Amino acid sequence: MSLKISGIEFSHGSTPILKGIDIEVERGTFVALLGPNGAGKSTLAKILARIYEPARGSVRVGLRDLLGLKRQEHARVVAYVPQSAEVPFELTVAESVMLGRTPYIGLRPTAKDHAIVDAAIGRLGLGEFRERRLSQLSGGQAQRVLIARALAQEPEILLLDEPTSALDLRYQVETMQLIRDLTASEGVTALIAIHDLNMAAAYCDKIVLLAEGQVALDGPTSVLDAEVLSQVYGLDVEVIWREGYCEIRPASMRRLEELDCELSDLLEFA
Ligand code: ADP
Ligand code: MG
């Protein structure tokens, strides 16, 4: 379903954190929520997850008022993968993923619930760990369990707060590809808070850059603008477009050619 976030304002005490957020997302879009530490990404995700209640504003999913839904109905619409999870450590992987079925389960899980859990475990490459306790997993494996649990929830909207931060390169790529597939072929709308601007540019359809509780950029990847990024991150940033993909890097990062050059200078004197 399409997602329409309008005029969201939120404060912690007297400190305004979100100052009027407007974002519109078509169904099946993969959205990157970018912005420096403290920009308000997690706060916005928590509002959509109904952990925080905004002072003003509304969120519509299709024709429904997301913030007014009954809790169980909300849990069928939105799945949320938190930035750092308080995972129930004594549960096994399979039990943890089954928690994603909570909004659907009557008295006990059905064969369908088990099949959905198995599919989610398979998609996240967790088959060999299914009977392991979460306390016996690495940080990245536990992070994949949280994503599997969110998939088992079969949401219309998938919120992921830095889900790739503990993942090695292969699983970062696989996770981004998996979310891409979910959005493109299953019509799920995904919002991912992520720090890796290049991953976001490579996999996401839409960029929303938050800065100090406001939207600084919003649009397709092509809106990524060196001047705005430099200002928002407080660092000289270059955006280099090459044959349809873009590379974003600090301007001060030394180029390989420069390093090669220095190396050959050194060798000459050696
Ligand atoms: P991001 O996820 O973009 O790094 P957050 O949404 O976590 O940013 O935080 C936005 C701002 O809210 C930050 O300035 C942070 O310090 C502040 N903040 C977060 N949680 C609290 C809290 N419980 N009380 C007061 N301020 C908070
Ligand atoms: Mg955060």
Side-chain angles (χ1 to χ4, degrees):
M1 285 294 134
S2 65
L3 172 68
K4 188 172 182 192
I5 298 170
S6 312
I8 291 288
E9 294 179 22
F10 179 83
S11 300
H12 274 301
S14 58
T15 312
I17 305 292
L18 299 179
K19 305 165 186 168
I21 302 287
D22 297 298
I23 302 169
E24 278 196 63
V25 182
E26 291 299 318
R27 177 176 186 264
T29 307
F30 187 2
V31 184
L33 202 51
L34 306 176
N37 294 137
K41 304 178 297 294
S42 295
T43 305
L44 182 61
K46 285 178 186 168
I47 286 171
L48 300 179
R50 299 266 295 270
I51 295 166
Y52 292 158
E53 198 177 323
R56 274 197 197 79
S58 68
V59 181
R60 297 210 159 266
V61 175
L63 295 174
R64 290 161 296 175
D65 166 21
L66 187 75
L67 306 183
L69 293 179
K70 291 206 179 87
R71 289 277 165 184
Q72 189 186 37
E73 183 60 22
H74 176 267
R76 291 179 183 180
V77 178
V78 172
Y80 165 63
V81 178
Q83 182 166 359
S84 60
E86 325 67 39
V87 280
F89 268 103
E90 285 318 301
L91 294 186
T92 66
V93 168
E95 288 164 346
S96 311
V97 178
M98 184 60 83
L99 288 179
R101 299 303 298 161
T102 309
Y104 303 94
I105 292 175
L107 282 178
R108 58 169 53 110
T110 62
K112 183 184 170 199
D113 293 314
H114 284 290
I116 290 169
V117 165
D118 287 347
I121 286 174
R123 276 181 115 161
L124 272 298
L126 291 165
E128 62 182 296
F129 307 116
R130 57 170 296 136
E131 300 310 325
R132 271 236 213 136
R133 297 192 189 285
L134 295 196
S135 54
Q136 297 160 344
L137 296 180
S138 76
Q141 290 159 354
Q143 205 165 29
R144 275 148 56 206
V145 174
L146 294 176
I147 300 171
R149 184 179 76 183
L151 293 195
Q153 214 171 321
E154 296 193 310
E156 296 172 42
I157 313 249
L158 182 58
L159 304 172
L160 305 116
D161 199 347
E162 299 188 27
T164 54
S165 58
L167 300 186
D168 67 33
L169 191 59
R170 172 184 156 196
Y171 281 111
Q172 282 182 37
V173 167
E174 289 194 359
T175 301
M176 294 302 276
Q177 190 62 54
L178 172 68
I179 301 166
R180 230 202 121 63
D181 292 346
L182 281 172
T183 54
S185 58
E186 294 171 38
V188 174
T189 302
L191 262 83
I192 180 177
I194 185 167
H195 279 300
D196 189 326
L197 300 172
N198 290 298
M199 280 283 177
Y203 287 95
C204 298
D205 304 304
K206 179 178 164 89
I207 301 294
V208 175
L209 176 67
L210 290 187
E212 296 176 8
Q214 290 179 306
V215 176
L217 281 178
D218 177 357
T221 311
S222 56
V223 298
L224 285 168
D225 174 73
E227 210 170 304
V228 178
L229 289 172
S230 301
Q231 200 190 347
V232 164
Y233 285 95
L235 169 88
D236 200 4
V237 174
E238 293 176 342
V239 180
I240 304 156
W241 282 93
R242 272 197 211 99
E243 290 164 15
Y245 79 91
C246 94
E247 184 191 346
I248 301 153
R249 44 183 279 155
S252 61
M253 209 156 95
R254 292 201 292 172
R255 292 172 194 286
L256 278 179
E257 308 92 78
E258 287 173 26
L259 290 174
D260 279 350
C261 177
E262 282 173 25
L263 194 59
S264 57
D265 289 348
L266 283 174
L267 290 176
E268 238 170 75
F269 287 107

